[in-house]
Amino acid sequence: MAKVLVPVADGSEEIETTCITDTLTRCGCQVTVASVMPGKLQVKMSRGINVVADCAIEDCKGTEWDAIALPGGMPGAEHLRDCAALTELLKDQSGKGKVTAAVCASPAVVFGTHGLLPEKSTCYPKFKDVVGAGWQDAQAVMDGHIITSQGPGTSIQFALKIGEKLCGKDKAVEVAKGMLVDYVV
Amino acid sequence: MAKVLVPVADGSEEIETTCITDTLTRCGCQVTVASVMPGKLQVKMSRGINVVADCAIEDCKGTEWDAIALPGGMPGAEHLRDCAALTELLKDQSGKGKVTAAVCASPAVVFGTHGLLPEKSTCYPKFKDVVGAGWQDAQAVMDGHIITSQGPGTSIQFALKIGEKLCGKDKAVEVAKGMLVDYVV
Ligand SMILES: [Cu+]
């Protein structure tokens, strides 16, 4: 059972967050939602819904994660960027060639800041200059072990792409059907 | 500012829930998430993420709601169906011809049980026999003041349809653009 870490913060995008956690749980992954907000597990998402994380990000060291997947949303992505414990986890994960993934603001704001972007990637179009010449206009982009996506409307496809990488294409296609979407990327 | 009530329970579908709350907040609505679980505001959604409601459903009487919108998910829809306070709110709302909306299992399990379905509606295909001859194969269906939809993959369109009804088509189209989706229904 693949282990997936989903860090969240005040201001994380809730559609993006649940598309990741829900879709990957349906794929059979064990999903852990971790708060990067110092001293609190409950976060207020970008459009107001309150989520309680399973643990604090500091508790996530020492576990082998099959994927770390970041929702976007502002200022959520900035909180993710500024979290030292998460930055260490991401650098370690990416250095080992294991899956890192980010959507919306986070490819630019988190991966861009910490030198974790691959050659080809995507993000919310407003941030494309931060990503630079490798920016692709696609719902989801996989370059090696790094998967990126654009926003709320692309987040199910994004999560299915992570699901395919971890659990195989047949599983991703099956889960997509149950959610009444076509898996297209 | 339109007031929207979103009842939730243990086992409510989290993509459907956040698509409703996020999209309608972006439309400018004031969204209240209310728990129907006796004595607790924190609910565990269908694929494991924990959400804290803004209030209990009993606190929602006496407010004029512009819309009441139900996520699906099982057994979430059954908890919504079995909640007397919510049933009273829904019957009162529908009796006044004000917007009621439901997605996935909820059109069949909640609206079907309480005689609140219009002539034409939709739901998760597995439940179409409960809805009967008026079932439409569409992402979202509006019949009078009642809006229904099929599942996680149709929930942004569902929420945009509610947004159009409450805030106008221009607003729905603008919000869709910001979420990187085409508003098609
Ligand atoms: Cu975003």
Side-chain angles (χ1 to χ4, degrees), chain B residues 65-89:
Chain B
W65 300 103
D66 295 286
I68 302 177
L70 310 184
M74 292 290 266
E78 293 171 336
H79 289 305
L80 300 184
R81 176 196 66 196
D82 296 340
C83 174
L86 175 58
T87 302
E88 194 183 323
L89 281 164

Side-chain angles (χ1 to χ4, degrees), chain A residues 65-146:
Chain A
W65 299 103
D66 296 287
I68 302 177
L70 311 183
M74 292 290 268
E78 293 171 337
H79 289 303
L80 299 185
R81 176 195 67 197
D82 296 339
C83 173
L86 175 58
T87 303
E88 195 183 323
L89 281 164
L90 285 170
K91 288 187 171 173
D92 183 58
Q93 180 85 358
S94 206
K96 290 178 182 160
K98 294 171 76 182
V99 175
T100 56
V103 59
C104 198
S106 286
V109 172
V110 186
F111 287 2
T113 299
H114 298 305
L116 296 168
L117 280 173
E119 198 182 315
K120 289 182 184 174
S121 67
T122 194
C123 68
Y124 196 76
K126 196 176 87 175
F127 295 97
K128 65 192 270 191
D129 290 346
V130 179
V131 167
W135 191 84
Q136 315 282 308
D137 192 6
Q139 291 199 61
V141 174
M142 178 158 59
D143 185 345
H145 63 283
I146 303 170

Side-chain angles (χ1 to χ4, degrees), chain A residues 8-10 33-45 50-60, chain B residues 42 49-50 52:
Chain A
V8 295
D10 285 337
V33 177
S35 169
V36 307
M37 304 307 291
K40 65 172 191 164
L41 294 184
Q42 185 172 329
V43 299
K44 193 174 203 64
M45 303 248 125
N50 293 295
V51 162
V52 181
D54 302 309
C55 64
I57 194 72
E58 288 76 15
D59 303 329
C60 298
Chain B
Q42 185 172 331
I49 203 166
N50 293 294
V52 180

Side-chain angles (χ1 to χ4, degrees), chain B residues 5-7 16-17 20 24 67-73 77 80-81 86 90 99-112 116-118 120-124 131 135 138-142 145-152 154-155 157-159 161-162:
Chain B
L5 175 61
V6 183
E16 293 165 5
T17 300
I20 298 168
L24 290 172
I68 302 177
L70 310 184
L80 300 184
R81 176 196 66 196
L86 175 58
L90 285 169
V99 176
T100 56
V103 59
C104 197
S106 286
V109 173
V110 187
F111 286 3
L116 296 168
L117 280 173
K120 290 182 185 174
S121 66
T122 193
C123 67
Y124 195 75
V131 167
W135 190 83
Q139 291 201 58
V141 174
M142 179 158 59
H145 64 281
I146 303 170
I147 300 169
T148 51
S149 181
Q150 296 198 337
T154 68
S155 286
Q157 295 294 328
F158 170 58
K161 179 60 76 181
I162 302 170

Side-chain angles (χ1 to χ4, degrees), chain A residues 13-23 25-26 33 42 44 46-54 123-125 150-154 156 177-181, chain B residues 13-23 25-26 33 42 44 46-54 123-125 150-154 156 177-181:
Chain A
E13 223 290 338
E14 46 267 69
I15 292 176
E16 294 164 4
T17 299
T18 58
C19 284
I20 298 168
T21 62
D22 185 333
T23 304
T25 299
R26 287 171 184 255
V33 177
Q42 185 172 329
K44 193 174 203 64
S46 66
R47 273 75 189 182
I49 202 167
N50 293 295
V51 162
V52 181
D54 302 309
C123 68
Y124 196 76
Q150 294 197 338
T154 68
I156 290 181
K177 258 185 209 152
M179 300 170 78
L180 308 181
V181 298
Chain B
E13 222 291 336
E14 45 267 69
I15 292 177
E16 293 165 5
T17 300
T18 57
C19 284
I20 298 168
T21 62
D22 185 333
T23 304
T25 300
R26 288 171 184 255
V33 177
Q42 185 172 331
K44 192 172 204 63
S46 66
R47 272 75 188 182
I49 203 166
N50 293 294
V51 162
V52 180
D54 302 312
C123 67
Y124 195 75
Q150 296 198 337
T154 68
I156 291 180
K177 258 186 210 152
M179 300 172 77
L180 308 181
V181 298

